[in-house]
Amino acid sequence: MDIEEEFFDMRPITAPVLRIQMTGPIEDTDPDKLRTILARYDDTYIRDISVTVDSPGGSLAAGLTMGRILNDRDEIVSSDVANQEGTKAICASACVFLYLGADFRYLSNGGRIGVHQFSSTDPDLDGQSALSTAQTISSLLVSYIQEMRVDVNFFERMTDMSAEGIDFVSESDLVRWNVVTGPVYSETAEYHNINGSLGLRLEHVALHGASTMTLLCGDAGLVGVATLQEPESAAIGDFFLVIDAEPYQLTDWDIVKRAEFRTHVAFQLPDQLRDVVADANSFGARIRTPSKELFYGFEQNIRDEKLRDTITNCKTHQVIPKTETLEPVGSMQVFEDRDIDGNDLLRTGIKGISFRQCQIECLAYEYCHAVSYVVKSGWCWPKSGVTSSTKRSGVVSATRY
């Protein structure tokens, strides 16, 4: 390969960057050439190494080795399929493994990535030895691909094309399989035990920081905490959920903590957004500054059914409109914003019913003389009597007369 480097130090405007352009077939001596170039900067501060490749492939062993050399670097390493001529570059065959060694991987200006099967070309191997060698190579490549955070479907795509041909993979598949990452290092969605309840944690690690969102089913429906990476001098205005690139402003949210350039926001998922989020291909959160010109946050691709399952399995309680909470049933008198103290007939009350149903339940038993009802959570508390009451917003009570 032709390997050229260019060092840019424009401090204090930007951090130092080492740019490396690799062009042509990969040969067995190329890993040593790459090591030599990088060694020249061992005593120089570099934050980013930017690698561009334009190669039809070549030595598989050399491509893998060069990928690992890049992956082992402490700097932020990015790769792109491009050339200095501005023509459409390619990265095919062994070049793909070099390209995958970067932390952040791009595909710009019409660049293409091509794959095919890999097998031994040693004519002296018998059938059994050739099969064994092919299995060893496959195992090695799968392990490498997974280590570089790439879906194994990408390897399966390789096996669909004979060693004599090249299959240029669509950009949509490359993004879906995490071959092309853009500025995103990783995106995960995992279940966690949160104080005895099962919650879903989304984690988004990107070039400019890490953000998370935890979703949990509570008495009032689906609630969440978003922890967003702050830029310097961040100002907080409005909070949004981002669904398929569309921002939805929330009203029921609060900042619970700000520390170490992280904004922690607690929120409740509105009922009208449940189905939209359940069907989302991408989901995240953002904060817009008071000027409404800037925002920070994240949005990650949804790659499995965990988000949908979390939402559909969380049954929200019925929230009764104000006009219904004021309506008495039978021989009951209603008191809005009033909570009857004590005298509970049931230790845990009755969850998930309407205020009307709450009154009907009380009237069915002669020992029930009143109810208090928490509107937001749909929680009914039958009472044996009334000795005292407290003014409390969001609670409506009814007594027999």
Side-chain angles (χ1 to χ4, degrees):
M1 296 187 90
D2 180 22
I3 306 178
E4 300 178 358
E5 90 264 22
E6 196 170 6
F7 180 64
F8 295 87
D9 188 352
M10 300 180 65
R11 287 177 287 184
I13 300 174
T14 60
V17 177
L18 176 62
R19 295 180 182 173
I20 300 177
Q21 171 72 54
M22 304 186 190
T23 308
I26 301 173
E27 299 181 355
D28 291 334
T29 57
D30 288 331
D32 287 337
K33 290 163 63 175
L34 179 59
R35 288 191 188 97
T36 299
I37 289 173
L38 293 172
R40 295 174 189 155
Y41 301 91
D42 282 347
D43 298 324
T44 304
Y45 168 66
I46 301 173
R47 193 192 70 172
D48 300 89
I49 298 176
S50 175
V51 176
T52 55
V53 292
D54 184 8
S55 170
S59 167
L60 174 60
L64 285 166
T65 301
M66 295 172 83
R68 291 207 174 276
I69 291 172
L70 296 178
N71 193 253
D72 289 341
R73 299 295 300 187
D74 293 330
E75 298 88 352
I76 299 171
V77 181
S78 62
S79 60
D80 196 358
V81 181
N83 55 40
Q84 294 178 340
E85 288 73 31
T87 57
K88 292 183 178 180
I90 66 168
C91 179
S93 187
C95 173
V96 174
F97 299 97
L98 187 166
Y99 170 86
L100 290 179
D103 302 314
F104 303 99
R105 303 183 287 261
Y106 300 85
L107 192 63
S108 59
N109 300 323
R112 296 187 298 165
I113 290 177
V115 298
H116 64 176
Q117 294 178 7
F118 288 90
S119 60
S120 173
T121 57
D122 188 344
D124 297 328
L125 291 178
D126 58 31
Q128 187 63 38
S129 297
L131 178 61
S132 176
T133 300
Q135 289 175 336
T136 300
I137 292 174
S138 295
S139 177
L140 176 67
L141 298 184
V142 168
S143 177
Y144 180 86
I145 284 172
Q146 290 179 313
E147 186 179 342
M148 302 305 159
R149 316 175 317 278
V150 176
D151 193 305
V152 292
N153 282 307
F154 183 57
F155 175 76
E156 293 177 5
R157 182 66 172 266
M158 292 179 182
T159 63
D160 290 339
M161 173 59 68
S162 68
E164 292 75 28
I166 291 291
D167 177 13
F168 286 100
V169 185
S170 69
E171 185 171 355
S172 61
D173 281 342
L174 293 170
V175 171
R176 180 159 58 95
W177 293 331
N178 211 41
V179 176
V180 174
T181 68
V184 178
Y185 183 80
S186 66
E187 297 175 320
T188 58
E190 301 293 341
Y191 291 117
H192 288 260
N193 186 327
I194 303 171
N195 297 326
S197 298
L198 192 64
L200 179 66
R201 177 184 169 89
L202 307 178
E203 184 174 41
H204 180 91
V205 181
L207 183 61
H208 299 294
S211 296
T212 64
M213 182 187 295
T214 301
L215 300 172
L216 188 67
C217 187
D219 290 335
L222 202 71
V223 296
V225 175
T227 300
L228 307 181
Q229 179 78 48
E230 289 186 5
E232 291 185 9
S233 304
I236 296 176
D238 304 313
F239 178 72
F240 298 79
L241 292 181
V242 187
I243 309 167
D244 293 331
E246 184 72 23
Y248 294 80
Q249 186 173 352
L250 298 192
T251 56
D252 192 2
W253 65 281
D254 194 17
I255 297 173
V256 294
K257 182 181 178 182
R258 289 187 73 184
E260 299 177 345
F261 293 101
R262 297 280 199 279
T263 310
H264 303 259
V265 178
F267 65 91
Q268 180 161 355
L269 180 68
D271 284 346
Q272 62 267 31
L273 290 183
R274 284 171 58 91
D275 292 341
V276 183
V277 176
D279 293 333
N281 294 309
S282 63
F283 182 54
R286 70 173 59 160
I287 286 177
R288 188 172 65 183
T289 62
S291 68
K292 302 186 185 303
E293 296 179 355
L294 302 172
F295 66 84
Y296 62 93
F298 79 102
E299 183 178 9
Q300 75 179 57
N301 295 310
I302 305 302
R303 304 181 186 276
D304 55 35
E305 297 297 313
K306 293 189 184 76
L307 180 60
R308 167 181 284 276
D309 291 345
T310 298
I311 293 172
T312 57
N313 291 331
C314 181
K315 308 300 182 183
T316 56
H317 301 298
Q318 183 179 1
V319 177
I320 310 303
K322 186 174 182 179
T323 54
E324 185 177 345
T325 62
L326 294 176
E327 182 180 333
V329 174
S331 57
M332 302 288 283
Q333 183 176 359
V334 172
F335 301 89
E336 191 179 11
D337 294 333
R338 182 63 58 177
D339 187 11
I340 297 171
D341 302 323
N343 297 317
D344 296 321
L345 286 170
L346 300 173
R347 187 171 62 86
T348 58
I350 306 171
K351 294 183 180 181
I353 66 174
S354 69
F355 182 50
R356 177 179 178 80
Q357 291 170 319
C358 181
Q359 295 176 76
I360 291 173
E361 289 288 338
C362 181
L363 291 172
Y365 296 92
E366 62 176 320
Y367 298 109
C368 182
H369 295 281
V371 296
S372 286
Y373 182 81
V374 184
V375 176
K376 190 172 184 179
S377 59
W379 202 337
C380 173
W381 293 91
K383 307 284 184 174
S384 62
V386 180
T387 53
S388 63
S389 65
T390 303
K391 184 175 177 61
R392 183 165 289 119
S393 177
V395 178
V396 60
S397 296
T399 60
R400 275 186 173 183
Y401 57 82

